[in-house]
């Protein structure tokens, strides 16, 4: 059977992005504009449709306890926090003071600041010290690619069965299937993780072509 998918053009992407419930959002419009002023790094922010999808997922899951690695100026954290149930908490890890200062301002504007705690520093050092009060319902990983597997192995034991770990940039702009890119450490790390997740008995995983590829992992109950 022929592969079944619809290729996106810019026009079709815009059509898709416009036809969702929260396509108009003045707070995110302002955050996007301020992030764009940072220059080329602004491309690190998740897309607006990804933000809606993340809110949708967290809300569908009834997520209360969430964690993010890689906050930047706050787009994904606002998406997660908006999907949490009342009384929910999101712990955010990032090492950049300037970018997360922007995030803090927009958490206030979006009215989600009371749900979010920022842990500023290198996640390689901070995450192993994590002692969550409750098992995590929802995790989003969007930081240094070579460490995705480390984040996964560190956080999976803290996720409840049925909880979700979501990874961004799992297609690496298509480089995961380009043999000339295989020796770039970040590309190799993501390619190896895609292979690992596909056969990992601890999770049910699916890689979807949203933005630069989102890998969704739902933790399964033991025994594995
Ligand atoms: C792709 S951006 C995150 C984008 C964000 N999720 C959003 O929606 O705007 C990656 C972020 O990870 C942070 N980061 C990279 N390596 C890190 C590390 N070892 N520890 C903590 N933060 C890190 C960077 O400072 C940057 O803000």
């Amino acid at each position: 059977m022929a592969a079944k998918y619809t290729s996106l053009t810019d026009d079709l992407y815009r059509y898709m992005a416009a036809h969702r419930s929260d396509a108009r959002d003045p707070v995110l419009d302002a955050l996007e504009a301020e992030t764009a002023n940072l220059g080329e790094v602004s491309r690190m922010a998740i897309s607006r449709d990804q933000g809606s999808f993340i809110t949708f997922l967290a809300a569908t899951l009834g997520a209360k306890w969430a964690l993010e690695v890689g906050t930047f100026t706050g787009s994904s954290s606002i998406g997660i926090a908006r999907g949490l149930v009342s009384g929910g908490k999101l712990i955010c890890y990032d090492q950049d003071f300037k970018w997360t200062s922007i995030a803090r301002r927009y958490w206030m504007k979006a009215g989600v600041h009371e749900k979010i705690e920022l842990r500023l520093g290198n996640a390689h050092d901070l995450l192993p010290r994590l002692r969550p009060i409750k098992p995590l319902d929802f995790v989003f990983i969007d930081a240094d690619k070579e460490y995705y597997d480390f984040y996964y192995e560190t956080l999976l034991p803290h996720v409840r069965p049925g909880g979700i770990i979501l990874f961004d940039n799992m297609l690496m702009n298509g480089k995961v299937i380009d043999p000339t890119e295989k020796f770039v450490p970040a590309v190799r790390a993501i390619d190896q993780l895609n292979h690992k997740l596909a056969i990992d008995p601890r999770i049910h995983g699916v890689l979807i072509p949203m933005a630069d590829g989102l890998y969704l992992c739902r933790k399964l109950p033991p025994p594995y």
Side-chain angles (χ1 to χ4, degrees), residues 10 128 138-139:
D10 283 357
F138 190 92
V139 171

Side-chain angles (χ1 to χ4, degrees), residues 44-46 70-72 76 94-95 99 121-124 142-144 151:
M44 292 204 298
I46 59 160
T71 296
F72 189 43
S76 51
D94 202 291
Q95 60 190 3
W99 293 336
N122 190 335
H124 310 170
D142 188 18
D144 41 349
Y151 297 141

Side-chain angles (χ1 to χ4, degrees), residues 32-45 72-73 98-99 102:
E32 196 173 305
E34 189 164 342
T35 303
N37 284 337
L38 297 173
E40 187 59 26
V41 289
S42 63
R43 289 195 57 77
M44 292 204 298
F72 189 43
T73 58
K98 190 180 97 182
W99 293 336
I102 297 174

Side-chain angles (χ1 to χ4, degrees), residues 114-202:
E114 286 179 353
K115 292 182 172 177
I116 303 180
E117 176 190 331
L118 175 65
R119 298 194 178 166
L120 201 57
N122 190 335
H124 310 170
D125 305 325
L126 298 179
L127 269 185
R129 290 188 240 147
L130 175 72
R131 300 285 177 269
I133 327 164
K134 299 276 184 191
L136 299 167
D137 302 302
F138 190 92
V139 171
F140 182 53
I141 297 177
D142 188 18
D144 41 349
K145 309 308 165 203
E146 293 95 320
Y147 277 81
Y148 270 30
D149 190 33
F150 170 77
Y151 297 141
Y152 177 63
E153 291 298 343
T154 306
L155 291 169
L156 189 64
H158 295 302
V159 175
R160 70 162 168 87
I164 285 180
I165 300 184
L166 195 62
F167 296 94
D168 196 21
N169 304 110
M170 296 297 274
L171 294 176
M172 294 295 282
N173 295 305
K175 292 176 185 163
V176 284
I177 58 161
D178 181 346
T180 65
E181 299 281 349
K182 278 274 191 278
F183 300 102
V184 176
V187 177
R188 191 171 56 211
I190 295 300
D191 180 42
Q192 284 174 351
L193 184 57
N194 281 326
H195 281 84
K196 171 176 163 168
L197 294 175
I199 55 165
D200 190 332
R202 300 169 296 177

